[in-house]
Amino acid sequence: MKNTIGNPLSWSAQEAAAVGRQIGSIATHIGHDTYDLAHPDVRRITVHDLRDVLRKGVEDFGACRTDVIALCLFYPFIGVLLAWIAFDRNLVPLLFPVISGFALIGPVAGVGLYEMSRMREKGEEPSWRHAFAVVNHPSFAAIAALGLLLGGVFVVWMLTANGIYHATLGPERPASFGAFFRDVFTTGAGWVMITVGCVVGFLFAALVLASSVISFPLLLDRDVGLPVAVITSLRVVAANPLPIAVWGLIVTAGLVIGSIPLFLGLIVVLPILGHATWHLYRRTVVVEPRMEQRVE
């Protein structure tokens, strides 16, 4: 066939059609279940099951310790960098929202860890390479889309936290960390900020927990599409409100404790929580043999 340049109008139309086909392909992966339109069944669990979930998370961490530590060194660095920016730019009021915001983006950070637990469950020896191989997964478009959504929630949370500060102790920035600490705990406006901030932060955390508690592991395990993954996560929460609420408290407490010593504790906390989340998914979602195999 002879190659021709063609006129700009026809070339633009061809390129637009190509882009449309790519978007359509991505939307297909995001929007429907490749294997079955039926939603996966969910199980009821108890609070005692969380102990076994955490135990298996610790076992996975012990088996993959070197690889997951290397993988998770990035997160303390990001935390320290954000804290430094907060102090350097006189954004001290946003320091706590940044730390608590890790809970909002934590599910995204754990995707590679879920894959390593999945590989170990299959009897294979996982490494950090398997974590990065997620980009080749058939559901990666849906995983990336959900990650972007959680990133958007984090941004909205930061803007909301800044607005709460402006409405209570602001709009002027504190002269120092000590002055800010004193204003927060010794003034009525400071306690209003704490109360409103905690309530609003809880709502943000509950939204993210309900929509993503098992969404990412499900997308890794089965190419079900983003809507099915999120709906299944909501169904798991509806079937197990108390255990999932306790799980949310465990995650929050772990992230806070891991963040206190210059975020270095996250090197251990994040892997354990990430691996444990995979086992929480296995405990709460029924895996049918005909749906277990993934498209490679």
Side-chain angles (χ1 to χ4, degrees):
M1 188 189 323
K2 191 163 140 182
N3 292 327
T4 60
I5 296 176
N7 62 68
L9 184 59
S10 63
W11 179 85
S12 299
Q14 292 172 5
E15 291 299 310
V19 172
R21 286 193 295 272
Q22 291 294 328
I23 294 175
S25 175
I26 292 174
T28 297
H29 279 96
I30 292 177
H32 83 282
D33 185 346
T34 302
Y35 297 108
D36 198 327
L37 292 178
H39 291 216
D41 293 329
V42 302
R43 297 189 184 96
R44 293 184 182 276
I45 63 172
T46 67
V47 174
H48 296 291
D49 290 309
L50 300 181
R51 183 183 305 172
D52 187 53
V53 163
L54 287 170
R55 179 182 59 80
K56 290 182 177 180
V58 172
E59 290 176 356
D60 284 355
F61 173 67
C64 312
R65 184 169 56 249
T66 302
D67 291 286
V68 297
I69 286 177
L71 185 66
C72 293
L73 280 172
F74 175 74
Y75 301 110
F77 171 76
I78 292 297
V80 172
L81 178 63
L82 291 174
W84 176 79
I85 292 174
F87 280 104
D88 185 63
R89 304 286 182 175
N90 197 21
L91 299 175
V92 173
L94 296 182
L95 184 59
F96 178 75
V98 166
I99 295 175
S100 60
F102 268 99
L104 304 180
I105 58 176
V108 185
V111 170
L113 300 168
Y114 311 150
E115 178 67 1
M116 294 175 74
S117 287
R118 190 190 72 82
M119 298 298 294
R120 185 166 183 264
E121 187 179 87
K122 292 173 60 178
E124 301 182 23
E125 188 172 344
S127 70
W128 60 269
R129 294 180 181 84
H130 291 106
F132 287 102
V134 170
V135 297
N136 298 317
H137 193 283
S139 293
F140 181 70
I143 292 170
L146 184 54
L148 288 174
L149 286 174
L150 296 189
V153 172
F154 175 78
V155 172
V156 173
W157 159 241
M158 294 301 297
L159 294 174
T160 303
N162 189 55
I164 293 172
Y165 171 78
H166 272 255
T168 52
L169 292 177
E172 295 81 9
R173 295 297 176 183
S176 65
F177 180 78
F180 174 70
F181 188 85
R182 183 175 59 253
D183 290 341
V184 167
F185 291 102
T186 63
T187 66
W191 281 105
V192 170
M193 185 188 72
I194 292 174
T195 303
V196 175
C198 287
V199 171
V200 175
F202 170 80
L203 295 177
F204 273 89
L207 172 65
V208 170
L209 178 68
S211 60
S212 67
V213 63
I214 57 92
S215 296
F216 287 105
L218 176 56
L219 288 170
L220 282 173
D221 197 35
R222 314 177 195 175
D223 191 10
V224 298
L226 181 55
V228 171
V230 173
I231 291 172
T232 303
S233 184
L234 295 173
R235 290 171 56 224
V236 166
V237 174
N240 304 282
L242 179 59
I244 297 301
V246 173
W247 177 249
L249 291 175
I250 292 173
V251 171
T252 301
L255 292 176
V256 170
I257 293 172
S259 300
I260 290 174
L262 293 177
F263 300 91
L264 293 177
L266 295 178
I267 298 174
V268 175
V269 171
L270 275 177
I272 292 176
L273 292 177
H275 291 308
T277 299
W278 169 262
H279 295 290
L280 179 66
Y281 155 69
R282 281 303 205 194
R283 188 61 63 95
T284 55
V285 177
V286 178
V287 180
E288 299 178 13
R290 64 189 176 88
M291 298 179 68
E292 271 192 314
Q293 296 183 354
R294 301 186 312 161
V295 176
E296 299 293 349

